Every structure is written in C-alpha cells, then in structure tokens.
Amino acid sequence: MTEKQFPREEYLASGHRGCAGCGAAIIVRQALKAAGKDTIVVNATGCLEVMTTPYPETAWRVPWIHVAFENAAAAASGVERAIKVLQRKRKKYANKKINVIAFGGDGGTADIGFQALSGAMERGHNMLYIMYDNEAYMNTGIQRSSSTPLLASTTTSPVGTVIKGEDRPKKDMAMIIAAHGVPYVATACLSYPEDFMNKVKKACEIEGPAFIHALQPCTTGWKYDPKYTVKIGRLAVETGVFPLYEIKNGEFKITYRPLKRKPLNEYVKLQKRYRHLTDKDIEMLQKYIDERCKLLGL
Amino acid sequence: MVTVGTIIYEPGNSTNKTGSWRVFKPIMDKDKCVMCENCFIFCPEGCIKEKDGKFEIDYDYCKGCLICVNECPVKAISSIREEK
Amino acid sequence: MSKVKIITGTSAAAEAARLCDVDVISAYPITPQTTCVEKLAEFVANGELDAEFIKVESEHSAISACIGASATGARTFTATSSQGLALMHEVLFIASGMRLPIVMMNANRALSAPINIWNDQQDSISQRDTGWIQIYAADNQETLDSIIQAFKIAENEKVLLPVMVNLDGFILTHTVEPVELPDEEEVRDFVGIYEPKHAYLDPDRPITQGPVGVPSCYMESKYNVQNAMNNAEKVIMDVNEEFAKKFGRKYGNGLIETYNIENAETVLVAMGSVCGTIKEVIDDLKQEGKEYGLLRIRTYRPLPINHIREALKNAKNIAILDKDITFGMNKGAVYTDLAGFLKDKKTTNYIVGLGGRDIRQDDIKEIMKHAEKAEDGETKWMGLKEQ
Ligand SMILES: Cc1ncc(C[n+]2csc(CCOP(=O)(O)OP(=O)(O)O)c2C)c(N)n1
Ligand code: SF4
Ligand code: SF4
Ligand code: SF4
Ligand SMILES: [Mg+2]
C-alpha cells in the first residue's frame, strides 16, 4: 500500500446544501486539509456561506464567521488583529499559530469586496484570502461578475441578437493583488489538489498577507454534467485558460506546465454557457489565450 | 430556543441526509481499488471515507454527482440508476 | 489618581477608550471625529495603550473589522460621524444581530446633500432601528463617562448589544471643557476584562457565527435583540448608579434627566448639548417667576417610554425638539417616537439646528411661548429664513 497522501480529517462536514458536484465544497475540503485544525474561517456571503450554514445546522468543524458580502477581508483583519492582541495581552490561544483564512466568491472579492480586500492586503495582515472563482454570482442565480470570462453567457450577459454573452474580458485578480506587493500570491485549481494544497500550506506559513485565486467549476452556472467538475478544471489548466503559478516574494514561477496545451475547444464544448460560440468566436478566444500564455511563458 | 446571536455551537452538525438527492449511485469495487485517493480528495461531500484501510462510500450523504466514477483511474467505481 | 484636564469632546472619548484598555480600535477619519482617532493613534504609538489600531480604508471596513475583532473576543472601539456612520449602516444591523458589544463614539453631524460638516443629529437618528443602544451626551465629561459606562452596559450578559455614544459635532467635539479623568486602575476595575461566553473564535471550540437566518429562526433572533434592549434599560440605570458610587457623577437615572419639571406646565424635551442652553433659559425665566421644565432623553435606544411618560405626567404643553427631520411627515423622529405614547397630552415639534444652525436662547424662549399657545401636533422649523 502506498503512503497516505491526503489528511483524513474532514473540516467540512457532509450534509451541506451545495449542488451535487459543487466545486466550492471541493476547494474548501482541500484547503482545510492543508491548513489543519488551527484555522479560523471568515466567509463572504455567497453560495459557500449559504450552502453550509442554514441555522441551526453548520457544515463547519473549524471556527467560522460570516459578516456580509463585501467585507470578508475587513472582518478577517479584525480577527487577525484580535488574535494578536489577545495573545499578547491576555495570553490566549497558548501562543499557537492560528491561520486566518477568508473565503470569498468572485463577486465578493473582485467586485463588491475589492476595496476591503485591497485594504487588507495593503495593511499586511497575516491572513490568507482564497477567492473561489466560479466566474459569476451563483448564489443570486448566475449574474456576470468582473471575473466572468469573455463571451460566457450569464443571466446578465445573455446571448441576445445584438450582444452575445459577456463583452468584457476577465479581471486578473492574482496580478492585481501581486501589485500590492504581498509576499505570496498564487493561482490554483481544485483539479490539482497537491498543487493547491501546497500553496495553501506555503501561504499559511508565510508571515503577512497571501492571496490564492482558485478556479472553481460550477455545474449549475457553467451548465455541465456534475461528473465533469474536476475534468473541466483540468481542461482549464491544460488549455492555458487558467495557468497555475505562484509569486513568492516577487518571484514568479509556473507551478504546472502542460506538456502541450490542449485546444480551447475541448474546454468550451463541455459547457453550455459557451454553447452559442461560433468557430470564429473560438478562434478569437484561442488567440486571446495564446497571447496571455505567451506573456506568462507558457 | 434560538441562541444569542444565532450562534451554532455544535461543529459539523449538518446531518441533513443529502443522499436522498441522488439520481445515480456510485458503486465501488474495493478489490479493483488501488487506493490512489482521487475519489477521496475530489468528492464534494467528503463522503468517501477510509475504513480498515479501504475506501467506502457513505450513501447517507453521497449526492451521486459521479465525479468519483469519472476520476477513478482504474474504473473501480461504476454507476447505476438509483432505485427509489 | 483622577485628574482634571481641559480637553475637547473627541479627546475625552479617546481618553475613555484608553482608560477602558480597549484591545482593538478600527476607525476611519471624518470631521468632526478626526481628532479622536488621531489621539488614539498617538496613545498606541506611544505605548500608552496596548491595542491594535487597524487603519482601515473606509468606515464600512472599520465596523466590519470591529465585528471580526469582537467576535474573536476582543474589546473593540470605533468612532465615526455622519457620512461615515451612514456608510456603516448595513453592518450596524449585523453587529447587533451577532450580539457583539462594540462601543462607538459618534460625532453628530449633518448628512449630505448639500455636504455639511456641522452639527445636527440626523446621522445617528437615522440609525435608530439598527439595534444599537444610543446614548446622547450633553457635555465632554458625560462623553467620557458614558463611554466607560458603555463598555459595562454592552458587555453585560443580559445585554450583549453594541453601544453608540453620541456627542454634538463641533459644539462638543471641538470645544474644550474641564474633564475629570478618573484613575486608570479604578476604571479598569469598574469595567473589568471582556470575557465573552457566547461569541469568540477559537480552534479549540469551533463555533459558527453569522449563519443563514432561515425563516424558522429569524424572528426569534430579532426578538432576542428586543429582549436585550428591554434588559438594557435596567442595566443602564444600575451602571449609572454604580458609576456614581465609584466616581461621584451621575446622569439623571441613566435614561432620562429632568430639570425643574415638577414646577412646570410647559416642558421641553431634547437630547444632547442643547440641553445646556435650555437649562440656562429655564434659570433665567425662573428669576422672572416663570416656570419651565426640561426632560433630557439621554438614552434614545432603548427608548425609556415609561420613564418619559411618568416624568411628563403633570406637563400640559410638551415641546419636543428635533435636530433631525423625517421627510414627508414634517416631524422629527423624536417627536414621532414620543407622540405615540403621549396621546393624552398636547405635543408640539420643533425642528432645530439642522446643519449647524445656531440655537440661541431666544429660540428656546420662542419655543416655550409657542408651545403654550400652539395647537396639538404643530411643527415649527426654528430659525428658518424667509425664502
Ligand atoms: C450588499 C449586498 N449586495 C448584494 C447582495 C446579494 N448577493 C448575495 S450573494 C451574491 C453573489 C455572490 O457571488 P460570488 O461572490 O461570486 O459568490 P458565489 O455565490 O458565486 O459563490 C449577491 C449579489 C448582498 N447579499 N449584499
Ligand atoms: S451554484 Fe455552483 S457554486 Fe453554488 S452550490 Fe451550486 S455548484 Fe456550488
Ligand atoms: S458520487 Fe459524488 S458525492 Fe457520491 S461519492 Fe462519488 S464523488 Fe462523492
Ligand atoms: S479513485 Fe478508484 S482507485 Fe482511486 S481510491 Fe478511489 S476507488 Fe480507489
Ligand atoms: Mg461566484
């Protein structure tokens, strides 16, 4: 028998209300296995918060707090400083190292929570912020966010007769946070658990703010068969749609390099949010992705 | 009685049996399994658990997404339609 | 040892937070609160206060960070005013709903538009339904004392609600007055250390704070807040008494304060620093043999309905002053709150001092006269220029 690779402890209990095949739940399971028990979670309003905590039931086995949609980073700032001062003044927590991890959706992070996040990253709090990116506002029924990719259809970027899907490219959150000069920024995907979990561990070990932009395929929002959640995440990476890298103390490194990038079509054809794409559209998108990959040295 | 501040004090008490959502049911052949841990780490429900050195599916919570079926490298998990 | 310092209201507030040994401060500057956060930053920078000062990028984040800190188990303080308080609005409900005993100083200032940095009370009045206890101080000493009391009230297990201590912008925030700073040890003994039993984040006791309030629990959770408000009434009175015993100062019964009310048919009802002016006018008129009374509402939430009714039981003409306006009713919020349970009385309403308009002694006299002759329910805007 091979050695056990992944910790057996579960910090997210079964019985949560996520859709069958929900990628957000996979991200949380993996992240908390990496971070371990001594972790406090701050959660922005969104699918993850709603599906895990209908009072009086909770799926969380670590201390967890939700305040509002746009302020997870600010609330986490308060948690982090409170731990610091209570350790110093009141000898609480037995001087244990406690991870403060904030989870925010793409809306709660790249849109409405952007200011609070920027503030928290700039102030140097010792926290890890994980943006679980399902590329739209899923909790309110699949509206576009600034993280929705070009041409994807959502309920507010519908396929009309004049405009066909999202008309703006995806906001590059990892690079924006990297520009804050924080010590650790990474991209990740649930389909590469070793890579993701390593990054969570590094982010927790590093003193100061860390940010992980984790791609999260969403069966309901992206409109694919739930069994493909992991497969689609893998294709996002293999096609170069979502490259995996880290920027540690300013040093950029690709953490997974596909042998040969797969054609974009393999990724989009599984998702009905791209159903309307013409060959020309795909060609255009492919070009766009090729250029971005070139920039990153992929 | 609703607690002060609607705080939930019992960690992980979400005992809502989500297995009832299932339309397809994964069936694991333990003999075929090579313990690669794929199904374990990818299951959104955390309902594949290790028992006596082998993985097992907890059908009380398995929602039947079939990610495990799709991700098993040795096809040790198959699926059938759930009988209700 | 206590000592007397000549200081502004904002300094008094900062001194109070220091004396209470707060753990976390999270605030964003805004006129006329600014000098309070500057003073606190100074205290922390000089090691006079062992606290974490989170220099947030907005008031929304200020109060959100306070929630995070308070939910972790830290004693938490913030300060704001006007636009800043309005920006916090959404999160104020969350602080009370999560039952976190955060204490805030609010420098009462008008709300835009047009932008105006001067005093009225529209900002805090507009937050009256957020589940925060609201205290209105009448001078700088009371500001300091009220913040000390506020921690004791907020952290009381029967209460567990956030408290907002209001002081009038510029009139108090920027005016120096002699303020007695109580002895640090005595204050710390009075307020104790915050040791929450209900809400703190600790990996050894993983609790879930701020879950989804499904319909089967939401009403009860709000009813719990109302009950805590009911309990607060007595706690505020007790703390006022206890404070008086220890420090020799008290503010009415903690909820309301009355002045010459026994002798008067006409009683003015007001909040905050204007009560000082009203008392002066009452004293002057007494010399002329005319009797007027004042009922000062110190605690606006919980609104001490029975105490107010009892205090006004012999009054004939009740003149209610509002430094705020409920548009579309042509009434102030204090008036609309009180009129409902003073139905058997003649009540009149005076909109005063919006956006820093002076309230002169003559205005107070005019109000007194008007209240005697006016019809029940009349509203008068004081000091309004001819348009
Ligand atoms: C201030 C505020 N505006 C809007 C909402 C409504 N709302 C709740 S969740 C949500 C979308 C969440 O999207 P995202 O952050 O991407 O998380 P997801 O649900 O996709 O996981 C919206 C718009 C809200 N709760 N608060
Ligand atoms: S909509 Fe998407 S993110 Fe939300 S629970 Fe369903 S699968 Fe998960
Ligand atoms: S079908 Fe889905 S929920 Fe059930 S065990 Fe497999 S991965 Fe888990
Ligand atoms: S994926 Fe297949 S081989 Fe791997 S552990 Fe699961 S059942 Fe066994
Ligand atoms: Mg989203």
Side-chain angles (χ1 to χ4, degrees):
Chain A
M1 206 182 83
T2 53
E3 214 179 300
K4 277 177 199 168
Q5 202 179 351
F6 301 116
R8 297 305 192 242
E9 292 80 13
E10 295 293 344
Y11 299 104
L12 186 76
S14 308
H16 62 73
R17 265 64 160 193
C19 309
C22 173
I26 305 176
I27 286 184
V28 170
R29 281 189 65 231
Q30 294 178 355
L32 293 182
K33 279 176 190 296
K37 166 185 171 291
D38 290 332
T39 299
I40 294 173
V41 168
V42 183
N43 202 167
T45 309
C47 261
L48 177 61
E49 163 259 341
V50 170
M51 77 196 208
T52 52
T53 65
Y55 184 91
E57 280 182 26
T58 180
W60 299 85
R61 295 203 176 105
V62 289
W64 178 95
I65 180 171
H66 157 253
V67 183
F69 185 22
E70 65 277 50
N71 61 1
S77 305
V79 171
E80 184 258 354
R81 290 299 167 88
I83 292 169
K84 204 168 153 189
V85 71
L86 292 175
Q87 282 185 330
R88 184 171 72 227
K89 278 171 85 173
R90 314 242 181 268
K91 313 279 172 260
K92 294 247 169 90
Y93 305 112
N95 284 325
K96 250 190 299 205
K97 189 180 152 0
I98 293 169
N99 308 309
V100 177
I101 302 185
F103 286 101
D106 46 302
T109 305
D111 292 344
I112 199 166
F114 189 65
Q115 171 183 321
L117 174 67
S118 177
M121 292 289 116
E122 168 273 318
R123 288 190 299 272
H125 296 279
N126 193 15
M127 66 158 88
L128 164 60
Y129 192 107
I130 298 178
M131 166 181 173
Y132 70 94
D133 182 8
N134 50 32
E135 304 193 318
Y137 301 163
M138 295 315 174
N139 186 47
T140 38
I142 327 173
Q143 295 83 30
R144 67 84 69 177
S145 77
S146 60
S147 198
T148 300
L150 203 53
L151 298 189
S153 75
T154 70
T155 56
T156 51
S157 59
V159 179
T161 49
V162 183
I163 307 168
K164 296 189 186 311
E166 174 61 28
D167 58 359
R168 300 295 308 154
K170 185 178 174 75
K171 192 170 180 174
D172 192 345
M173 280 303 290
M175 287 302 178
I176 290 169
I177 300 304
H180 284 65
V182 306
Y184 192 80
V185 172
T187 59
C189 177
L190 56 84
S191 310
Y192 298 80
E194 299 92 335
D195 178 79
F196 176 39
M197 290 166 73
N198 266 334
K199 287 169 175 170
V200 170
K201 276 201 191 114
K202 274 189 216 173
C204 288
E205 274 158 21
I206 272 175
E207 196 56 41
F211 180 82
I212 297 179
H213 180 177
L215 186 71
Q216 182 236 304
C218 161
T219 158
T220 309
W222 298 10
K223 301 191 165 50
Y224 60 82
D225 186 323
K227 74 178 175 217
Y228 291 142
T229 295
V230 175
K231 179 175 179 170
I232 285 177
R234 198 175 290 122
L235 281 168
V237 174
E238 296 281 349
T239 53
V241 164
F242 198 81
L244 298 182
Y245 61 82
E246 67 178 11
I247 306 172
K248 193 176 168 190
N249 295 320
E251 217 167 291
F252 177 88
K253 190 177 127 199
I254 297 280
T255 58
Y256 176 81
R257 192 177 290 277
L259 282 177
K260 187 174 181 300
R261 278 201 288 119
K262 292 198 165 135
L264 178 70
N265 193 33
E266 288 193 29
Y267 175 66
V268 298
K269 75 177 180 207
L270 288 177
Q271 307 170 51
K272 291 211 183 79
R273 64 172 173 162
Y274 287 122
R275 174 170 51 183
H276 58 287
L277 295 198
T278 61
D279 289 348
K280 240 174 115 190
D281 290 335
I282 295 176
E283 210 175 294
M284 186 270 277
L285 278 183
Q286 180 72 63
K287 247 204 194 127
Y288 174 74
I289 292 201
D290 290 347
E291 273 163 30
R292 283 179 44 87
C293 285
K294 207 169 141 198
L295 270 176
L296 295 179
L298 260 184
Chain B
M1 217 202 45
V2 174
T3 58
V4 169
T6 48
I7 295 169
I8 304 169
Y9 290 98
E10 201 187 326
N13 66 349
S14 49
T15 48
N16 168 54
K17 297 267 158 58
T18 47
S20 64
W21 300 14
R22 216 166 34 238
V23 180
F24 294 98
K25 184 175 185 176
I27 310 282
M28 189 188 284
D29 181 343
K30 288 185 190 177
D31 294 333
K32 272 198 197 164
C33 169
V34 296
M35 292 301 282
C36 74
E37 306 188 12
N38 268 7
C39 57
F40 169 72
I41 201 67
F42 289 132
C43 172
E45 312 309 321
C47 66
I48 298 181
K49 292 168 187 160
E50 194 186 327
K51 214 176 152 192
D52 304 325
K54 287 273 169 197
F55 283 123
E56 213 170 76
I57 297 169
D58 181 347
Y59 290 109
D60 277 351
Y61 297 104
C62 164
K63 289 174 189 160
C65 69
L66 306 187
I67 288 176
C68 54
V69 175
N70 215 50
E71 293 303 321
C72 178
V74 295
K75 297 200 168 3
I77 314 176
S78 54
S79 73
I80 57 166
R81 192 163 256 285
E82 180 71 44
E83 304 202 8
K84 292 253 158 102
Chain C
M1 272 285 287
S2 73
K3 56 177 180 241
V4 175
K5 266 192 177 177
I6 315 280
I7 53 173
T8 61
T10 47
S11 283
E15 293 282 1
R18 179 185 61 78
L19 288 167
C20 292
D21 192 24
V22 298
D23 301 314
V24 175
I25 300 155
S26 173
Y28 191 82
I30 178 168
T31 305
Q33 154 266 35
T34 317
T35 45
C36 176
V37 295
E38 289 174 346
K39 189 96 202 155
L40 284 165
E42 231 175 86
F43 286 151
V44 174
N46 293 332
E48 293 168 77
L49 171 63
D50 184 7
E52 290 292 321
F53 191 144
I54 311 178
K55 289 148 198 174
V56 283
E57 80 302 328
S58 74
E59 288 87 353
H60 196 283
S61 286
I63 187 65
S64 302
C66 282
I67 288 185
S70 185
T72 308
R75 181 171 286 161
T76 306
F77 183 75
T78 187
T80 191
S81 178
S82 178
Q83 308 302 125
L85 187 63
L87 188 56
M88 288 182 181
H89 178 68
E90 174 200 27
V91 194
L92 296 179
F93 288 95
I94 301 172
S96 64
M98 292 178 77
R99 308 299 295 278
L100 299 171
I102 299 160
V103 172
M104 172 198 295
M105 178 213 89
N106 179 57
N108 283 124
R109 164 183 154 179
L111 282 167
S112 291
I115 189 164
N116 174 301
I117 59 167
W118 294 276
N119 169 246
D120 65 36
Q121 294 168 343
Q122 188 79 52
D123 55 354
S124 52
I125 296 264
S126 300
Q127 307 301 338
R128 67 168 190 191
D129 298 333
T130 54
W132 282 59
I133 290 171
Q134 287 199 7
I135 292 172
Y136 288 77
D139 57 35
N140 293 354
Q141 182 72 60
E142 188 179 356
T143 300
L144 180 132
D145 293 348
S146 299
I147 288 172
I148 296 170
Q149 294 180 2
F151 280 108
K152 204 167 167 73
I153 296 161
E155 293 169 8
N156 185 298
E157 269 180 40
K158 294 202 186 88
V159 180
L160 295 174
L161 286 175
V163 180
M164 184 188 299
V165 174
N166 295 283
L167 65 156
D168 285 315
F170 289 102
I171 301 165
L172 297 181
T173 58
H174 285 58
T175 308
V176 292
E177 290 175 353
V179 172
E180 186 179 323
L181 303 187
D183 177 69
E184 188 175 295
E185 286 308 309
E186 279 188 40
V187 173
R188 289 179 188 185
D189 181 58
F190 181 76
V191 294
I193 286 173
Y194 179 47
E195 290 280 5
K197 293 198 184 74
H198 70 308
Y200 61 89
L201 294 167
D202 183 347
D204 289 337
R205 187 191 73 150
I207 64 170
T208 288
Q209 293 192 62
V212 178
V214 293
S216 60
C217 78
Y218 186 84
M219 273 191 90
E220 287 73 15
S221 78
K222 292 295 154 185
Y223 189 67
N224 285 347
V225 173
Q226 175 53 43
N227 270 335
M229 277 282 179
N230 293 346
N231 296 343
E233 215 174 272
K234 171 138 194 332
V235 172
I236 292 167
M237 291 170 79
D238 291 348
V239 168
N240 185 55
E241 285 301 323
E242 236 183 283
F243 188 89
K245 261 193 217 134
K246 198 161 176 104
F247 302 105
R249 284 182 299 277
K250 69 191 276 186
Y251 301 97
N253 65 0
L255 305 167
I256 58 166
E257 191 191 356
T258 59
Y259 193 73
N260 199 43
I261 212 164
E262 321 69 36
N263 309 312
E265 281 192 350
T266 302
V267 176
L268 274 58
V269 179
M271 302 199 297
S273 61
V274 71
C275 294
T277 316
I278 296 172
K279 282 182 186 173
E280 284 166 20
V281 174
I282 290 175
D283 290 346
D284 284 354
L285 294 175
K286 211 177 179 70
Q287 305 284 323
E288 298 169 25
K290 296 179 195 152
E291 300 287 356
Y292 292 93
L294 165 70
L295 176 116
R296 172 162 85 92
I297 298 178
R298 178 175 185 252
T299 305
Y300 177 54
R301 282 294 180 277
L303 187 67
I305 294 174
N306 291 332
H307 293 267
I308 294 171
R309 201 180 357 227
E310 175 63 22
L312 293 174
K313 66 172 187 262
N314 296 322
K316 271 207 182 131
N317 313 308
I318 299 169
I320 300 169
L321 279 65
D322 264 289
K323 282 189 177 181
D324 63 278
I325 172 75
T326 295
F327 295 115
M329 278 185 91
N330 196 27
K331 293 275 181 284
V334 183
Y335 180 88
T336 57
D337 277 356
L338 267 55
F341 60 86
L342 296 173
K343 284 200 199 82
D344 50 334
K345 302 276 181 189
K346 187 176 97 183
T347 51
T348 46
N349 192 199
Y350 302 90
I351 308 301
V352 300
L354 298 190
R357 181 65 50 89
D358 277 343
I359 308 172
R360 301 156 307 150
Q361 294 206 347
D362 281 350
D363 294 321
I364 303 295
K365 286 180 188 160
E366 197 183 324
I367 289 172
M368 289 165 165
K369 266 197 218 124
H370 184 270
E372 286 166 342
K373 284 179 288 167
E375 297 282 312
D376 182 35
E378 271 187 42
T379 300
K380 192 168 158 60
W381 288 56
M382 299 304 296
L384 201 61
K385 288 183 191 140
E386 288 299 324
Q387 305 259 16

